[in-house]
C-alpha cells in the first residue's frame, strides 16, 4: 500500500471518528434537551392548571356559602323547609344537594335521598357542634368522596340565625370536570387528568372520552413534583393545596397524610408530540453525518497530498537519477524529508568523489607499475655495462668515457623513474589508502646479484629470486 493511502486512511478514520462522536454527542444533547423542554412545557401547564383548579375551588366555595346563606334566610323566614321547597331552591341556586340538620346532628331534610339513611353529622366530625355554639360561622370540606357515593362532592355548613339547625349545601365535582375536559380538548397530546386525595383515593379520571369515577385507590407519590415515564407517555404528579388543609371530616375518614389534606393532580401527556421533532432532528443529523464523511474525505485527500508531496518528488528524482537523467534530488523545503534528501545528495557527492579518486588511483597505480618495469629493464643493462667496464682497459679513453657517460645517463634516468614512481606511489596511497607499498631495494639487490653471477659465467636460478616485500600502510 502506498504511503499516500496509509496517511489518507489514518486521517479519514480520525476525522470521521471525531466527527461522529461530536455529532452523536450533539444528537444526544439535543434529544435530551427537546425532551426536557417538552416535559417542562406540560409540567408548567399542569402547574398552571392546578393553580386554576385551586382558584376554582375557592370560588366554588364562595358560591356555595352564598347559596347556603340564601337557604338559611329562607329557613329563618319559612321555618323548616319541605323537601319540595328544597328541590325548588336547589334548582334555582344550581347546587347538587341541600340538607337540613337538627341540633342533634340528625338529617331531617334532604333534596335527593331519604335523610334517615344518612348517618349523624357528628359521626363525620365532632367539630360541627361549634356551629351550634357560635364558635364557627361556617364550615366546609374540600372535594371528598362521601360513602357510599362514588362521585366526589364538596360540602359547606352554615347555621341559621337561631342556630337551631344547620343548612348543608353540596356541589358535585362537575365544575372540576368541565375545566379539565376543556383543557384536554385544547391539546391533542394531553391524554388524561386524574385527581386524588393524599392517600390515593380516586376523585375522578378525566379524558377526552369522558369522566370516570371509581371506589379504588391508586399509589401516589409523597414528594412533588414527580415525573414518571411509560412506554408511550409521561405522568406528572403535582401537589395542589386544598381550601381546607385542616379538615376534621377528612381526618376522621382517613384521607389525610400527616394531618394535612391536599389534592394530587396527575397529568398524563403522550410522547407523540416528540416524534416529529425527533424525526426532523434525526434526519438533520444524518445529513450532517453524510456531509462530515464527504468533508473528511476531501480533507484527508488534501492533507495526505500535502504530506506526501515532498516524498513523491524525492521518489521521482530518484528514478531520474537511476535512469541517468538527473544527478541530484535537490529538494527545496524545510521539513524532515528535505533534510533526508539533502543528506542523500551529500552521500551521492561523497560517492562520486570516491569514484573519481579510485579512478585516479588506478591510473597512478598503472603509472607506478610501468615506471618500475621500465626502471627494472633499464637498470639491468646499466649494471651489465658497469661490470664489463674493467674489461675494457684496452679501449680508448674516449670510448670508455662514452660508455661511462651513457651508463651514468641511464642510471640518472632510472633514478628519475624510480623517484617519480615513488612520488606517484605516495599520491596513490593518499587517494586510496588500501593500496600496497612496494619497496624496490630488496628487488634491485636481487637483480645485481643475478647480474654478478651472470658475469662470472654462473647460470642464475631465477626461481630463487625473492619476491618484492609487501608491507601494509
Amino acid at each position: 500500500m502506498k504511503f499516500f493511502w496509509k496517511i489518507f486512511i489514518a486521517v479519514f478514520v480520525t476525522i470521521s471518528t471525531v466527527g461522529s462522536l461530536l455529532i452523536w454527542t450533539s444528537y444526544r444533547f439535543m434529544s435530551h434537551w427537546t425532551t426536557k423542554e417538552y416535559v417542562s412545557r406540560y409540567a408548567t401547564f399542569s402547574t398552571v392548571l392546578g393553580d386554576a383548579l385551586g382558584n376554582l375551588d375557592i370560588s366554588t366555595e364562595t358560591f356555595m356559602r352564598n347559596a347556603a346563606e340564601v337557604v338559611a334566610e329562607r329557613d329563618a323566614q319559612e321555618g323548616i323547609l319541605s323537601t319540595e321547597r328544597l328541590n325548588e331552591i336547589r334548582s334555582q341556586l344550581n347546587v347538587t344537594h341541600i340538607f337540613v340538620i337538627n341540633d342533634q346532628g340528625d338529617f331531617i331534610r334532604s333534596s335527593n335521598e331519604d335523610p334517615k339513611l344518612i348517618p349523624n353529622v357528628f359521626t363525620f366530625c365532632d367539630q360541627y357542634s361549634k356551629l351550634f355554639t357560635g364558635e364557627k360561622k361556617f364550615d366546609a370540606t374540600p372535594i371528598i368522596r362521601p360513602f357510599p357515593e362514588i362521585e366526589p362532592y364538596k360540602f359547606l355548613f352554615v347555621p341559621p340565625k337561631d342556630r337551631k339547625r344547620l343548612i348543608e349545601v353540596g356541589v358535585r365535582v362537575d365544575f372540576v370536570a368541565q375545566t379539565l375536559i376543556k383543557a384536554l380538548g385544547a391539546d391533542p397530546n394531553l391524554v388524561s387528568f386524574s385527581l386524588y386525595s393524599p392517600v390515593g383515593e380516586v376523585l375522578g379520571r378525566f379524558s377526552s372520552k369522558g369522566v370516570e369515577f371509581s371506589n379504588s385507590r391508586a399509589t401516589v407519590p409523597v414528594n412533588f413534583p414527580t415525573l414518571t415515564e411509560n412506554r408511550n407517555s409521561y405522568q406528572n404528579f403535582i401537589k395542589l393545596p386544598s381550601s381546607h388543609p385542616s379538615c376534621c371530616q377528612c381526618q376522621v375518614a382517613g384521607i389525610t397524610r400527616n394531618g394535612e389534606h391536599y389534592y394530587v393532580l396527575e397529568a398524563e401527556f403522550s410522547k407523540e408530540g416528540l416524534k416529529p421533532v425527533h424525526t426532523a432532528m434525526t434526519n438533520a443529523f444524518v445529513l450532517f453525518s453524510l456531509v462530515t464523511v464527504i468533508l473528511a474525505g476531501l480533507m484527508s485527500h488534501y492533507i495526505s497530498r500535502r504530506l506526501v508531496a515532498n516524498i513523491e518528488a524525492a521518489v521521482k528524482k530518484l528514478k531520474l537519477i537511476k535512469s541517468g537523467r538527473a544527478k541530484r534530488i535537490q529538494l527545496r523545503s524545510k521539513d524532515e524529508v528535505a533534510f533526508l534528501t539533502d543528506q542523500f545528495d551529500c552521500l551521492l557527492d561523497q560517492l562520486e568523489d570516491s569514484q573519481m579518486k579510485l579512478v585516479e588511483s588506478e591510473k597512478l597505480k598503472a603509472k607506478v607499475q610501468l615506471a618500475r618495469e621500465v626502471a627494472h629493464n633499464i637498470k639491468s643493462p646499466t649494471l651489465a655495462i658497469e661490470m664489463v667496464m674493467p674489461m675494457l682497459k684496452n679501449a680508448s679513453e674516449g670510448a670508455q668515457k662514452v660508455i661511462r657517460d651513457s651508463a651514468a645517463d641511464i642510471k640518472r634516468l632510472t633514478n628519475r623513474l624510480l623517484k617519480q614512481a615513488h612520488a606517484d606511489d605516495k599520491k596513490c596511497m593518499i587517494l586510496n589508502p588500501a593500496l600496497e607499498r612496494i619497496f624496490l631495494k630488496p628487488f634491485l639487490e636481487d637483480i645485481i646479484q643475478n647480474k654478478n653471477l651472470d658475469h662470472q659465467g654462473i647460470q642464475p636460478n631465477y626461481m630463487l629470486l625473492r619476491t618484492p616485500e609487501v608491507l601494509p600502510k
Side-chain angles (χ1 to χ4, degrees), residues 449-468:
Q449 183 179 2
N450 290 332
K451 292 298 181 180
N452 287 329
L453 293 174
D454 187 32
H455 176 69
Q456 295 174 7
I458 301 173
Q459 184 68 29
N461 187 359
Y462 289 96
M463 298 300 294
L464 298 177
L465 291 177
R466 290 184 296 174
T467 59

Side-chain angles (χ1 to χ4, degrees), residues 112 133 171 184 231 260 277 376:
N112 294 69
T133 61
V171 175
L184 289 169
R231 182 177 180 181
E260 180 188 6
V277 178
H376 176 269

Side-chain angles (χ1 to χ4, degrees), residues 23-172:
I23 291 175
W24 181 82
T25 303
S26 301
Y27 177 79
R28 294 289 297 174
F29 172 78
M30 291 300 297
S31 178
H32 176 74
W33 183 80
T34 52
T35 302
K36 184 178 179 180
E37 286 295 313
Y38 181 80
V39 172
S40 176
R41 180 166 56 123
Y42 283 101
T44 303
F45 178 79
S46 302
T47 302
V48 173
L49 184 62
D51 293 338
L53 290 177
N55 294 329
L56 186 60
D57 187 16
I58 295 174
S59 63
T60 301
E61 185 170 310
T62 303
F63 160 75
M64 292 175 64
R65 184 173 181 182
N66 292 332
E69 293 289 352
V70 170
V71 177
E73 184 66 25
R74 298 286 177 85
D75 180 84
Q77 295 176 358
E78 303 177 14
I80 300 176
L81 301 174
S82 64
T83 302
E84 292 76 11
R85 183 62 174 156
L86 290 178
N87 286 327
E88 181 183 350
I89 297 174
R90 176 177 64 83
S91 299
Q92 294 174 355
L93 298 178
N94 196 23
V95 295
T96 307
H97 291 78
I98 298 177
F99 304 96
V100 179
I101 306 169
N102 62 21
D103 56 358
Q104 301 299 316
D106 296 325
F107 286 81
I108 57 176
R109 294 287 188 274
S110 173
S111 61
N112 294 69
E113 60 271 312
D114 186 358
K116 295 180 181 180
L117 300 177
I118 304 175
N120 189 280
V121 72
F122 296 133
T123 61
F124 297 134
C125 174
D126 58 2
Q127 297 293 321
Y128 291 145
S129 61
K130 294 181 179 180
L131 295 171
F132 291 101
T133 61
E135 296 180 50
K136 287 185 177 182
K137 292 183 179 182
F138 80 98
D139 204 346
T141 67
I143 299 174
I144 60 175
R145 193 181 67 200
F147 181 81
E149 298 283 348
I150 62 172
E151 295 180 356
Y153 290 84
K154 186 176 177 64
F155 298 99
L156 184 138
F157 302 86
V158 295
K161 293 181 180 179
D162 58 3
R163 298 186 182 277
K164 293 182 179 180
R165 288 176 297 278
L166 291 180
I167 304 300
E168 180 183 3
V169 174
V171 175
R172 199 166 44 213

Side-chain angles (χ1 to χ4, degrees), residues 45 179-193 206-208 210 268:
F45 178 79
T179 302
L180 294 180
I181 290 176
K182 287 182 180 179
L184 289 169
D187 193 331
N189 292 322
L190 290 171
V191 178
S192 66
F193 289 103
F206 312 91
S207 66
S208 58
E268 182 180 5

Side-chain angles (χ1 to χ4, degrees), residues 366-385:
K367 289 172 64 178
V368 170
Q369 184 65 25
L370 179 61
R372 287 172 179 169
E373 291 179 357
V374 172
H376 176 269
N377 294 331
I378 294 175
K379 189 71 173 178
S380 297
T382 302
L383 294 175
I385 293 172

Side-chain angles (χ1 to χ4, degrees), residues 374-375 378 407-419:
V374 172
I378 294 175
D409 291 338
I410 293 172
K411 183 179 284 189
R412 283 194 298 272
L413 178 60
T414 302
N415 290 333
R416 284 176 58 189
L417 288 173
L418 290 175
K419 288 181 180 180

Side-chain angles (χ1 to χ4, degrees), residues 38 41-42 189 232 269-278:
Y38 181 80
R41 180 166 56 123
Y42 283 101
N189 292 322
N232 298 317
F269 46 96
S270 174
K271 292 182 179 179
E272 292 295 325
L274 283 172
K275 289 184 178 180
V277 178
H278 284 174

